[in-house]
Amino acid sequence: MTEALFTEDAYLRDCTARVISADERGVVLDRTVMYARSGGQPGDTGTLRWDGGEAAVAEAVKGEAGAVVHTLAAGAAAPPVGAEVAVTLDWARRHRHMRMHTTMHLLCSVLPGIYATGNQIGAEKSRLDFDLPDPPTKEWLTERLAELVAAGHPTGTRWIAEAELEANPQLVRTLSVQPPRGAGRIRLVRIGPEAAPVDLQPCGGTHVRSTAEIGRVEVTKLENKGKQNRRVHFILPE
């Protein structure tokens, strides 16, 4: 199992780790700052460096039994098992993903009671699908998001028992993906104050500390993807 340092601190950019295994699938470390692809958020990229070598990480992905597999760029040599490596992620790319992912939570907050049916996070553009027959206009959504960003709402996380989630199923806002169960606890991401959150739902992704960090958001397009499925496209213009 790989200790996922990003779960507790999404702002860690590097760490040292020990190589547990290395084969054609990639490198497994005992700890990492690299997020493994899941929930619509791409896996991180970056670099592994060790005494005598270095390799570019093409993407971090999920392995078996809680492992994070660092897939290497084509032709890159893997570090030896047992070696200590310095792990450095592509921070600019990750931070864009954090801003995008937090924006998705804000989109959920302005459509209360509406379930998300799919999503895809990208550094340049992202999308979020909703089970929604009559969506508001893209201009209305852009304005609501701008208000939430400007408010500078803090974000935070806490863990709850799986039984608490079962007793409060309304916390789950997605129809396509359910929070992973079996570990005994679920991670909640909160935007806004604990007493009156703007958004609160299970999530394993990475997010910014404050909505003000997101910057300008523009909803660029609404698409009809089925009887009630509406796709919301948005970007973060610089």
Side-chain angles (χ1 to χ4, degrees):
M1 183 173 182
T2 304
E3 182 184 359
L5 300 176
F6 53 81
T7 300
E8 299 300 330
D9 186 354
Y11 285 79
L12 290 175
R13 305 185 187 193
D14 50 60
C15 71
T16 56
R18 190 73 60 181
V19 178
I20 297 175
S21 67
D23 55 30
E24 68 281 356
R25 293 171 296 178
V27 179
V28 176
L29 307 174
D30 63 346
R31 62 206 300 258
T32 189
V33 291
M34 293 196 184
Y35 178 82
R37 179 190 348 127
S38 64
Q41 180 172 331
D44 283 328
T45 59
T47 308
L48 304 181
R49 294 185 176 88
W50 63 95
D51 187 17
E54 70 174 66
V57 176
E59 187 180 20
V61 299
K62 285 189 172 183
E64 299 175 355
V68 174
V69 180
H70 302 73
T71 60
L72 302 184
V81 173
E84 183 177 86
V85 298
V87 186
T88 304
L89 59 77
D90 180 343
W91 172 249
R93 178 175 177 271
R94 154 70 89 74
H95 192 246
R96 292 279 300 185
H97 291 161
M98 290 164 61
R99 293 164 62 202
M100 289 285 194
H101 202 148
T102 310
T103 301
M104 286 189 171
H105 285 252
L106 295 182
L107 267 173
C108 287
S109 75
V110 301
L111 296 171
I114 306 301
Y115 284 98
T117 57
N119 72 86
Q120 184 60 57
I121 297 168
E124 301 305 321
K125 59 183 180 180
S126 299
R127 64 166 176 82
L128 189 55
D129 299 354
F130 289 98
D131 181 23
L132 182 63
D134 299 306
T137 66
K138 63 182 183 180
E139 292 79 13
W140 185 90
L141 290 169
T142 297
E143 289 173 5
R144 299 293 80 72
L145 290 172
E147 292 168 358
L148 291 167
V149 168
H153 293 292
T155 67
T157 62
R158 64 182 173 91
W159 296 86
I160 62 171
E162 288 183 12
E164 186 174 342
L165 182 64
E166 298 299 333
N168 297 276
Q170 73 278 3
L171 289 173
V172 180
R173 296 293 307 277
T174 59
L175 292 176
S176 57
V177 179
Q178 287 291 310
R181 291 168 170 83
R185 63 177 190 163
I186 300 289
R187 180 177 182 252
L188 291 183
V189 171
R190 183 199 75 255
I191 299 178
E194 186 76 45
V198 172
D199 185 72
L200 179 67
Q201 59 179 296
C203 185
T206 59
H207 309 81
V208 293
R209 293 186 178 120
S210 165
T211 59
E213 202 171 326
I214 295 172
R216 190 160 71 91
V217 181
E218 180 184 347
V219 175
T220 57
K221 183 170 62 173
L222 302 178
E223 275 191 289
N224 184 335
K225 303 300 288 186
K227 185 176 180 181
Q228 287 190 288
N229 198 40
R230 300 296 179 267
R231 178 165 293 175
V232 180
H233 296 264
F234 66 91
I235 61 173
L236 303 177
E238 296 298 343

